[in-house]
Amino acid sequence: MDFRLGEHSDAFRAEARAFLDEALTPEVKAQMEETGIHHNWDFHRKLVERGWLAPGWPVEYGGQGRDRLEVLAFAEEFQRAGAPTYGTGTTLMIANVIRLIGTEEQKKLILPRALGGEIIIVLGFTEPESGSDVAAAQARAVRDGDEWVINGQKMFTTNAQDADYVFMLTRTNPDVPKHQGLTTFLVPLKQPGVEIRAVHTLSGERTNLTFYTDVRVDDGMRIGEVDGGWEVMTVGLTFERSGAQGGESVRLLSAMEHWAATTTDEHGHPRSEDPSIRARLGRAAAENEVSTLLARRSAWVESTQGTSGVEGSMGKLFASEAITRQGADFMDMLGPDGLRSMGDPTAIEDGAAEYSFRFALGATTYGGTSEIQRTIIAQRGLGLPRSR
Ligand SMILES: Cc1cc2nc3c(=O)[nH]c(=O)nc-3n(C[C@H](O)[C@H](O)[C@H](O)COP(=O)(O)OP(=O)(O)OC[C@H]3O[C@@H](n4cnc5c(N)ncnc54)[C@H](O)[C@@H]3O)c2cc1C
């Protein structure tokens, strides 16, 4: 068994690191920290210039045809560096859905602009009354000739303020079981009737509430069949759960290692000799290895057997719960000094532990909460009967 990603992946990882050293400037990082927006147009366009927006895509669609393990090595570096990739990620996720099941017109209209860095696409699944139970969506789409009229509300439409389209899950038939009356559309966001309100979370991220009043969308922007939205969602959500995991934990551990190696306690003893500090660092290192390996297994399953399912859920579940444990553990280790935040010159390691402690709250929620990931693993992995 060889857990390494191979020579090509190592070479691509080195190129990614060199790119990040240049493109992920202190200004880009500061902007993310100040605004909570994990999308940066300059950074995004630099990726496009390098041809790296979708390195794993086929060349004819604007990718580089790199294999799944190369793409994972690349993604590991971006995540470990804390690069602003959320807008890139949602755009590619939906562009991928269009590439696989969209019409020829949709591919022509959307893919060159998405891959060319001109537009970003965001996700409109969650509503005030439906998050985990995403199939309970109520935002209504009613047909009017060649168009549809949309009325409703979406929660947590992250990056809507920068986006051109929202990939929206709507209810087109309220009279059938919930999974059978859904349809997905690519709705242009820059039009009358769309209202975007900022929401700043405790994790430090900016997301949005979005409201839709008599918003019109052409039938040509329907993705999949009428009332066939659940099948489309199944394709999309698989992409959301696969990918690199645990980058934040790697960054946090490296900051804590640096602190332990370079400071002394009140008696002048190096902190790196304190058994309790060593135990916490050792535990985190083992957890980070597991997160990395679970994501690598998921990528390997994808590259050999098509899409991954339960492996992606396991990776997401483990990594997001690991950063939750580590954030709390390291805050405990640092004591009250650990409470100072990023940007405060007196903060320990630029507030890395405090930031991770808050960041973890969101990580176990988006992309499906921990309870939902466990349910998926129990049903699809262990074959237990479906819950409600
Ligand atoms: C920062 C951030 C960004 C986000 N970005 C987006 C985005 O861009 N687009 C988008 O559409 N959504 C986005 N989301 C929404 C995210 O996907 C949802 O928050 C998530 O799916 C949970 O839904 P909810 O918040 O309605 O919680 P609920 O579903 O109401 O869950 C509340 C609690 O009940 C538990 N629970 C629910 N159902 C079950 C069950 N069947 N069994 C056991 N426990 C259960 C949950 O695990 C959770 O602990 C974002 C969320 C956050 C925090």
Side-chain angles (χ1 to χ4, degrees), residues 235-249:
V235 177
L237 291 176
T238 308
F239 296 134
E240 197 177 22
R241 283 191 287 269
S242 66
Q245 299 287 352
E248 297 77 18
S249 291

Side-chain angles (χ1 to χ4, degrees), residues 329-352:
D329 205 20
F330 288 136
M331 286 285 279
D332 190 34
M333 176 176 91
L334 301 178
D337 283 344
L339 288 169
R340 287 193 286 266
S341 299
M342 221 170 250
D344 177 337
T346 66
I348 295 175
E349 297 295 327
D350 199 22

Side-chain angles (χ1 to χ4, degrees), residues 135-372:
Q138 291 301 322
R140 193 81 167 89
V142 176
R143 192 160 196 152
D144 181 20
D146 289 340
E147 292 185 329
W148 294 79
V149 181
I150 297 182
N151 282 286
Q153 184 181 339
K154 293 286 172 182
M155 286 280 286
F156 300 122
T157 325
T158 310
N159 285 326
Q161 77 285 348
D162 275 313
D164 300 84
Y165 294 96
V166 56
F167 177 70
M168 196 193 280
L169 182 67
T170 67
R171 177 135 321 266
T172 36
N173 189 345
D175 302 323
V176 290
K178 64 184 176 185
H179 291 84
Q180 294 166 23
L182 297 163
T183 305
T184 49
F185 294 93
L186 207 54
V187 180
L189 275 168
K190 291 171 183 162
Q191 63 163 311
V194 175
E195 191 195 338
I196 299 169
R197 276 190 220 157
V199 173
H200 296 275
T201 72
L202 179 62
S203 302
E205 289 161 288
R206 182 214 158 136
T207 177
N208 301 286
L209 275 168
T210 48
F211 300 86
Y212 306 84
T213 309
D214 292 332
V215 166
R216 290 192 165 257
V217 59
D218 196 272
D219 187 52
M221 297 305 269
R222 169 168 51 78
I223 314 291
E225 301 297 323
V226 174
D227 294 342
W230 190 245
E231 285 71 40
V232 181
M233 288 291 291
T234 311
V235 177
L237 291 176
T238 308
F239 296 134
E240 197 177 22
R241 283 191 287 269
S242 66
Q245 299 287 352
E248 297 77 18
S249 291
V250 171
R251 219 161 50 244
L252 173 62
L253 176 59
S254 151
M256 294 301 103
E257 269 180 271
H258 182 259
W259 172 78
T262 54
T263 58
T264 51
D265 65 16
E266 60 275 25
H267 308 295
H269 298 135
R271 296 201 198 267
S272 56
E273 289 176 9
D274 180 327
S276 119
I277 291 176
R278 292 161 76 99
R280 291 173 207 256
L281 295 174
R283 188 160 51 225
E287 287 184 336
N288 294 355
E289 189 68 15
V290 175
S291 296
T292 301
L293 292 178
L294 283 172
R296 288 186 180 185
R297 185 176 69 135
S298 183
W300 175 77
V301 171
E302 270 181 29
S303 67
T304 51
Q305 297 159 36
T307 55
S308 84
V310 76
E311 296 80 12
S313 288
M314 283 185 184
K316 197 269 173 187
L317 172 68
F318 188 85
S320 59
E321 298 213 328
I323 185 80
T324 306
R325 279 190 296 276
Q326 292 166 14
D329 205 20
F330 288 136
M331 286 285 279
D332 190 34
M333 176 176 91
L334 301 178
D337 283 344
L339 288 169
R340 287 193 286 266
S341 299
M342 221 170 250
D344 177 337
T346 66
I348 295 175
E349 297 295 327
D350 199 22
E354 191 270 347
Y355 175 80
S356 296
F357 183 70
R358 285 183 295 111
F359 171 86
L361 299 170
T364 53
T365 304
Y366 47 68
T369 65
S370 289
E371 288 75 18
I372 296 306

Side-chain angles (χ1 to χ4, degrees), residues 371-382:
E371 288 75 18
I372 296 306
Q373 305 302 344
R374 286 192 191 93
T375 302
I376 291 171
I377 295 163
Q379 279 175 204
R380 295 191 208 150
L382 303 179

